[in-house]
Amino acid sequence: MEVLSVIDGILVEAESAEDVAAALHPFLSALPEFATEITALISELFAISSCLRDLDSSIRSRRYGRRVYMIDKDLDLVLPSLSTTLLDMLFIYSRFQVAARPSVAVYRRAWEEIRTIFRELQRVSLLARLETYRSFLVELSVRLSNSPPGFVDMPLLREKIDRLRDAQDNNPVEAAFTAIVPKPRLSPLPPRQEFNLPQRPKPEAFRSQSYPQPKNYYPPNVPEVPLAPQVPQSPTSTFSTTSSSGTSGSSQSLKHWAVAIFDGRHSTTPFTTSGQRSRCIGDPTGDFELGLSRGYDQIVEMPFDRRSLTVRIFHRPNDNQAKILCITGLTKPDTKITQSCLPLSKLRIFRAENTLQLCRSSGASKRPVLWACLKFAIYERMVLFFCLFISMKAYAPPGSWAAPEDWILDGEIEEYGGKIEDDGYLHALRIFQDIDSGGFRLQASVMSGSMGRAPVWTAFITQYIGSQNWMTRVRGRCIQLKDLHPYIFTSSDYKPTRGKRGEYELWFQTIDDAEQFEDVILGLRAK
């Protein structure tokens, strides 16, 4: 068993537990008669996340890290089962989450399925298995820290988890649930007719054939917004260029904005399509060819498809060069570990259903050829990866393989486009709605220049659309947003505009832009 691969998955499952807890939270108000049971599940999920984060912290500490051999087999037992349970919950939820604001009837049916399908199919209720996971993880923390053992019967817990893993393998929830509940039919909103521009080219050869795309899945490109000369543009170089040596874990990597992107502090909007599996079909790269020891810092690591594929992104501060590394075979002891690595500047990124497809150039023809396919369960993480990818390409040295349409995430409808004055710069502000998941987000982008239309920040607002007091017009050109968590794709020196009490403020360039933004939000709330 590859111990490091299991350890790397601990924080991933902690974030997944928080995602599932966030997905369950709307059930509390929709189904008050089940509030006690739902609250218990949410509490267990956050307790599991806390245990996992404590474990991760202890393992990475000098004091306890050397004792990881004492629990590595137990981690290898519990993490795959926990991961399967969390993914199964998101899968069931996604089959009912066909709109941004489901009805009470939809929540009720989803809740009934969540309650019954685990117990009837795998003979273990959801709450019981979460309690088992938590007790097991607590005891692992105790053993790692060399504290006196608790009163937990570890052999019994191991036996329970082992039986549960057999049940999960023999009676997968996804297969059974798909047979019971038909795949929902989407009714996407039509694109705004005034943006009737040519559609983005896409690599049809890599589209999944199992799930047909809904009509108008690839919306028209957003229009260019004219530049106002009196407000400066965003800078083209914004983060530290201090040189560093070594790779993952370097102190320099902590200064890069990408380290803070996947923090899990976002809503959870599952996709309704299953799409293709994650895979990398790039040519194998030897250790010498990677060249990652020459001043590169690892800044991102993401596992896909239950850690069958791991993606790492590296950054070199002295010239802003970035590389992406795909690794397969980490979680299977008898499988050869393979790795493939390319500079981000040599890749383009396309969306197909709930996957992002990284394509390299085929040579002189410049035809996109699939290098890696990354499958996402939720809309928010796809957006964050996409924005991070194109932002890092924008900061890279000149010569990246790119096209004007690369700034657009296919499958989204633009509901609004205007201009804001943001931290002394003029940015384009847009509201996007995802057709598949129904999620909403704001995005502020660079207007023009060598950075193209790179995102400056994005914020997910699906949970705020229906709130009556989330948005307040305080001045002619200023709108305050009570709650917002912007993900920033630029230097830590950049700060979104905030009011005296901490509310985020959008300062529009014109009163008309502010009024249109307000009207769009109110219109989305009424749908």
Side-chain angles (χ1 to χ4, degrees), residues 201-261:
K202 44 199 178 289
E204 294 288 345
F206 314 123
R207 293 266 304 277
S208 169
Q209 301 301 314
S210 302
Y211 296 88
Q213 298 284 0
K215 185 179 180 182
N216 294 328
Y217 187 79
Y218 292 92
N221 294 343
V222 293
E224 296 288 347
V225 186
L227 175 66
Q230 68 271 25
V231 183
Q233 295 298 298
S234 296
T236 58
S237 179
T238 53
F239 51 75
S240 171
T241 56
T242 306
S243 63
S244 63
S245 60
T247 54
S248 176
S250 163
S251 61
Q252 297 299 331
S253 66
L254 298 177
K255 296 182 180 180
H256 195 281
W257 52 263
V259 176
I261 294 300

Side-chain angles (χ1 to χ4, degrees), residues 243-299:
S243 63
S244 63
S245 60
T247 54
S248 176
S250 163
S251 61
Q252 297 299 331
S253 66
L254 298 177
K255 296 182 180 180
H256 195 281
W257 52 263
V259 176
I261 294 300
F262 297 98
D263 63 359
R265 295 174 56 199
H266 51 67
S267 55
T268 303
T269 315
F271 289 115
T272 61
T273 53
S274 293
Q276 307 173 57
R277 64 180 177 84
S278 297
R279 63 196 186 280
C280 179
I281 59 175
D283 294 333
T285 307
D287 291 338
F288 179 78
E289 297 172 285
L290 290 178
L292 297 177
S293 61
R294 296 191 290 272
Y296 280 90
D297 300 319
Q298 180 180 313
I299 55 175

